[in-house]
């Protein structure tokens, strides 16, 4: 009898421990709140940095992409393996208001989807075909939660289709496929359905408002109604509010804030691509320091101001992206520039896109996603340097609850790596997991709380740390319009900049630091940034 009692107690303890472990796995997922410009985990009072991959589910099949390629568990595993902690999961309003009870199989048959798509889902995720679209979304959200991935549920369109064009009739309130009341109804249905569902930490109102109907008065009216409706139906989720002109403009909030009460749940979002602030080819045809500086200035003017001042609120860069095949020089240059903004402000973000392709697109055939993190097999990275390039972006570098004082990481955005000091006291580029920290007094860059400082030995020579901190060649200033060059002056008064040279850092003649329209050389090897950190 005692033995049975002991066994029962042991079993009870095992179940209790398992339950506590399961709870702890999801404790960091829900709920989240805001504290000034930061997103905070209510259970720990620590900052959460959302590092999201966009996963499309808003197109005609109305299910998240890729279920024909590999099992759902493996898709989510790819997110985990590549250090994402969040998914921006997109959906169409009509899925909730018009198609909620339709099965995936019936929809695919109605679309005349390629046989390979249906066969692929039947092979890799057979239960999905018989599900309704909402049940399929449940299955995806549940698996994301099982692997501790947070979900930002994003209303991308009303009519399920490829997004976005200015004349697609999905762009602004009272367009043919954007009835405000049906939109709010769909948001409500989604909010109520996922109320209490731990992985869903945030809901956005609408992706990329656009088109000729755009006006500020309608924006304030309908966005207020929708935000309050979501908050009433599901007070636990963050409410993510987008702006105008493909979500690049929120500057009207400077003079007239959105005066609604969402508690500590209001968050804004913005988007940026290489073509967002002008023609894409400016990244090639104009001086790169100038283009980068102008892009960052415009971003701050239109949206970045929201994270500053007494009334600061969180801002998530929910979409940015680049051609991950490496075939676009303009995209590559844009990405490196934007990295400096995301890292410098330690923004939460969402990369377009995670998916390797689509079941069907406008021509009803499977489509490769060249902006996808994964390739068309959904098994490999499309961009070989992804891990290095994104390592510091994926890390939390600022925490408002930290007791540590600010130091700096010396960051090289072109490679994504960070500067460290080797055994010869010379500066080299390597993984940000092993980076050294620095302090900067406006002149000297001091190494790791020591009296040693960064010193140039002259043009072409490795930069090192030394005790000779009062000389000219130990004084460093940001240079160029981009402020991404760190420059010193040699004994002859010649200006030299830090430059990556096969992972060693040398002092070299500065590239295009003056605003010269004829200077089109690529300065990215000389871009270094002092990134503040207190973690």
């Amino acid at each position: 009898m005692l033995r049975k009692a002991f066994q029962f107690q042991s079993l009870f303890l095992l179940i209790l421990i398992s339950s506590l472990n399961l709870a702890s796995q999801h404790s960091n997922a829900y709920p989240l709140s805001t504290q000034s410009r930061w997103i905070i985990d209510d259970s720990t009072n620590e900052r959460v940095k959302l590092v999201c991959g966009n996963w499309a589910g808003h197109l005609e099949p109305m299910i998240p992409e890729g279920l024909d390629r590999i099992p759902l568990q493996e898709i989510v595993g790819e997110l985990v393996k590549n250090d994402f902690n969040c998914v921006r999961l997109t959906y169409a309003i009509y899925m909730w208001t018009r198609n909620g009870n339709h099965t995936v199989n019936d929809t695919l048959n109605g679309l005349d989807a390629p046989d390979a798509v249906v066969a692929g889902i039947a092979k890799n995720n057979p239960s999905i075909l018989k599900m309704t679209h909402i049940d399929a979304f449940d299955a995806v959200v549940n698996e994301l939660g099982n692997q501790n991935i947070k979900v930002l549920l994003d209303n991308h369109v009303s009519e399920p289709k490829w997004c976005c064009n200015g004349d697609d009739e999905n762009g602004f309130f009272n367009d043919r496929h954007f009835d405000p009341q049906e939109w709010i109804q769909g948001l409500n249905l989604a909010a109520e359905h996922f109320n209490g569902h731990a992985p869903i930490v945030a809901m956005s109102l609408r992706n990329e408002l656009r088109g000729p109907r755009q006006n500020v008065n309608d924006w304030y009216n309908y966005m207020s109604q929708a935000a309050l409706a979501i908050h009433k139906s599901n007070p636990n989720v963050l409410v993510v509010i987008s702006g105008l002109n493909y979500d690049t403009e929120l500057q009207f909030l400077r003079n007239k804030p959105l005066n609604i009460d969402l508690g500590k749940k209001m968050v804004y979002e913005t988007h940026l691509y290489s073509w967002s602030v002008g023609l894409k080819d400016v990244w090639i045809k104009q001086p790169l320091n100038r283009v980068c500086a102008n892009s960052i200035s415009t971003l701050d003017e239109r949206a970045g101001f929201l994270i500053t001042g007494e009334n600061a609120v969180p801002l998530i860069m929910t979409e940015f992206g680049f051609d991950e095949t490496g075939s676009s020089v303009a995209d590559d240059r844009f990405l490196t520039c934007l990295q400096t903004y995301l890292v410098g402000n330690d923004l939460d973000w969402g990369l377009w896109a995670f998916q390797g392709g689509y079941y069907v697109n406008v021509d009803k055939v499977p489509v490769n996603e060249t902006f996808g993190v994964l390739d068309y097999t959904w098994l490999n990275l499309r961009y070989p340097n992804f891990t290095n390039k994104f390592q510091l972006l994926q890390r939390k570098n600022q925490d408002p609850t930290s007791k540590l004082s600010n130091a700096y990481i010396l960051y090289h955005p072109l490679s994504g790596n960070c500067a460290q000091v080797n055994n010869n006291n010379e500066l080299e580029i390597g993984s940000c997991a092993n980076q050294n920290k620095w302090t900067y007094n406006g002149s000297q860059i001091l190494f790791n709380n020591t009296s040693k400082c960064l010193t140039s030995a002259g043009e072409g020579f490795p930069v090192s740390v030394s005790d000779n901190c009062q000389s000219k060649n130990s004084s460093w200033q940001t240079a160029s319009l981009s402020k991404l060059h760190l420059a010193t002056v040699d004994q002859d008064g010649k200006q030299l900049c830090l430059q990556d040279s096969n992972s060693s850092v040398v002092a070299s003649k500065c590239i295009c630091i003056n605003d010269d329209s004829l200077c089109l050389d690529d300065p990215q090897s000389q871009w270094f940034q002092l990134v503040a950190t207190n973690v």
Side-chain angles (χ1 to χ4, degrees):
M1 189 71 179
L2 286 174
R3 183 178 179 183
K4 286 185 178 179
F6 177 76
Q7 288 175 333
F8 177 79
Q9 289 175 346
S10 299
L11 180 61
F12 176 78
L13 287 171
L14 183 61
I15 293 172
L16 179 62
I17 290 169
S18 297
S19 300
L20 290 172
N21 285 339
L22 183 62
S24 68
Q25 288 175 11
H26 294 286
S27 65
N28 289 334
Y30 181 85
L32 305 180
S33 296
T34 65
Q35 179 181 306
S36 183
R37 60 151 295 192
W38 308 107
I39 295 171
I40 302 294
D41 182 341
D42 287 349
S43 66
T44 63
N45 202 37
E46 294 179 354
R47 182 199 169 194
V48 172
K49 180 175 179 178
L50 297 179
V51 175
C52 309
N54 278 271
W55 188 1
H58 65 273
L59 278 77
E60 288 94 330
M62 291 179 288
I63 54 171
E65 304 291 338
L67 298 174
D68 61 329
R69 310 302 296 183
I70 59 176
L72 173 59
Q73 186 177 10
E74 293 181 23
I75 295 177
V76 178
E78 290 294 327
L79 283 159
V80 175
K81 183 172 74 174
N82 290 295
D83 293 327
F84 291 93
N85 66 8
C86 165
V87 157
R88 182 175 181 248
L89 188 63
T90 70
Y91 70 92
I93 285 292
Y94 289 178
M95 184 186 79
W96 292 92
T97 60
R98 305 185 184 189
N99 300 289
N101 294 321
H102 295 185
T103 67
V104 171
N105 194 50
D106 286 347
T107 297
L108 290 173
N109 288 336
L111 290 172
D112 196 22
D115 292 341
V117 169
V118 178
I121 297 174
K123 174 186 175 182
N124 292 296
N125 296 284
S127 62
I128 294 291
L129 286 174
K130 295 181 180 179
M131 290 182 180
T132 67
H133 294 285
I134 292 172
D135 287 342
F137 264 74
D138 276 339
V140 170
V141 169
N142 288 337
E143 185 56 41
L144 289 163
N146 289 341
Q147 299 193 43
N148 207 25
I149 298 291
K150 303 170 184 66
V151 179
L152 191 170
L153 194 64
D154 169 70
N155 170 225
H156 221 64
V157 287
S158 291
E159 179 191 26
K161 66 187 301 182
W162 179 254
C163 180
C164 302
N165 296 313
D167 60 354
D168 63 8
E169 301 181 308
N170 263 270
F172 201 70
F173 309 111
N174 294 307
D175 280 358
R176 181 184 176 192
H177 292 292
F178 198 167
D179 175 71
Q181 299 313 311
E182 184 174 5
W183 169 63
I184 292 174
Q185 178 193 5
L187 293 176
N188 254 326
L189 289 169
E192 290 171 355
H193 181 82
F194 287 115
N195 193 357
H197 205 102
I200 305 289
V201 299
M203 287 184 61
S204 74
L205 300 186
R206 186 70 168 204
N207 175 70
E208 296 194 352
L209 296 169
R210 60 196 178 277
R213 291 183 186 273
Q214 290 183 97
N215 67 87
V216 172
N217 290 336
D218 279 351
W219 185 92
Y220 279 102
N221 178 23
Y222 292 121
M223 296 300 261
S224 296
Q225 290 184 43
L228 289 168
I230 287 178
H231 187 60
K232 181 178 179 180
S233 295
N234 190 341
N236 291 304
V237 296
L238 300 173
V239 180
V240 184
I241 301 168
S242 59
L244 298 174
N245 195 21
Y246 293 89
D247 204 6
T248 62
E249 297 186 4
L250 286 158
Q251 66 268 31
F252 46 86
L253 292 168
R254 286 181 183 272
N255 298 322
K256 185 182 177 183
L258 189 60
N259 189 23
I260 56 176
D261 184 7
L262 301 180
K264 295 183 177 181
K265 300 294 183 180
M266 182 184 288
V267 176
Y268 287 93
E269 63 177 320
T270 191
H271 294 176
L272 197 69
Y273 290 92
S274 57
W275 57 85
S276 293
V277 289
L279 297 176
K280 185 173 181 174
D281 63 2
V282 299
W283 293 93
I284 301 170
K285 295 184 176 180
Q286 292 186 19
L288 187 53
N289 283 312
R290 179 196 299 172
V291 176
C292 182
N294 289 345
S295 297
I296 297 305
S297 175
T298 301
L299 176 57
D300 263 336
E301 177 187 335
R302 294 180 177 180
F305 69 92
L306 289 165
I307 65 173
T308 64
E310 292 182 3
N311 298 314
V313 291
L315 176 70
I316 308 175
M317 178 74 70
T318 51
E319 271 193 41
F320 69 98
F322 66 110
D323 186 339
E324 299 204 22
T325 65
S327 61
S328 172
V329 173
D331 275 353
D332 290 345
R333 291 181 173 185
F334 157 78
L335 175 65
T336 303
C337 173
L338 182 59
Q339 280 174 250
T340 66
Y341 187 86
L342 295 175
V343 168
N345 291 285
D346 206 19
L347 280 190
D348 304 70
W349 52 264
L351 179 66
W352 188 273
F354 177 67
Q355 65 264 7
Y358 303 93
Y359 306 117
V360 295
N361 204 312
V362 289
D363 297 321
K364 306 299 187 211
V365 295
V367 177
N368 194 15
E369 173 56 272
T370 59
F371 277 44
V373 172
L374 299 181
D375 66 12
Y376 195 59
T377 69
W378 289 70
L379 294 170
N380 305 300
L381 289 173
R382 189 181 300 273
Y383 180 59
N385 195 40
F386 179 86
T387 301
N388 279 346
K389 190 74 167 171
F390 280 80
Q391 59 182 312
L392 200 60
L393 277 74
Q394 292 180 312
R395 216 179 74 172
K396 179 172 68 174
N397 296 309
Q398 287 285 330
D399 191 328
T401 64
S402 173
K403 300 289 193 291
L404 300 176
S405 57
N406 262 332
Y408 291 96
I409 299 166
L410 189 51
Y411 177 53
H412 184 246
L414 177 61
S415 65
N417 287 319
C418 296
Q420 49 195 266
V421 178
N422 65 21
N423 292 334
N424 296 321
N425 285 327
E426 294 175 349
L427 205 61
E428 62 183 16
I429 301 298
S431 169
C432 291
N434 304 313
Q435 93 289 333
N436 297 127
K437 292 184 179 178
W438 308 80
T439 54
Y440 182 55
N441 60 15
S443 179
Q444 287 84 23
I445 301 174
L446 301 169
F447 173 53
N448 206 29
N449 294 321
T450 70
S451 59
K452 295 183 180 295
C453 61
L454 207 60
T455 304
S456 165
E459 184 174 3
F461 289 96
V463 175
S464 62
V465 293
S466 76
D467 296 313
N468 186 23
C469 296
Q470 302 306 315
S471 64
K472 286 184 178 180
N473 54 355
S474 293
S475 177
W476 301 86
Q477 303 290 332
T478 57
S480 80
L481 287 175
S482 69
K483 299 180 181 178
L484 293 173
H485 296 255
L486 285 169
T488 189
V489 178
D490 68 11
Q491 300 303 322
D492 298 323
K494 184 178 182 180
Q495 199 168 29
L496 302 175
C497 288
L498 295 182
Q499 179 167 324
D500 174 38
S501 177
N502 296 319
S503 296
S504 293
V505 180
V506 300
S508 290
K509 179 183 177 181
C510 298
I511 300 173
C512 296
I513 61 168
N514 297 317
D515 188 24
D516 180 354
S517 296
L518 299 178
C519 192
L520 299 179
D521 294 336
D522 186 351
Q524 291 178 95
S525 62
Q526 292 188 346
W527 281 1
F528 283 83
Q529 181 183 18
L530 288 164
V531 175
T533 180
N534 65 354
V535 296

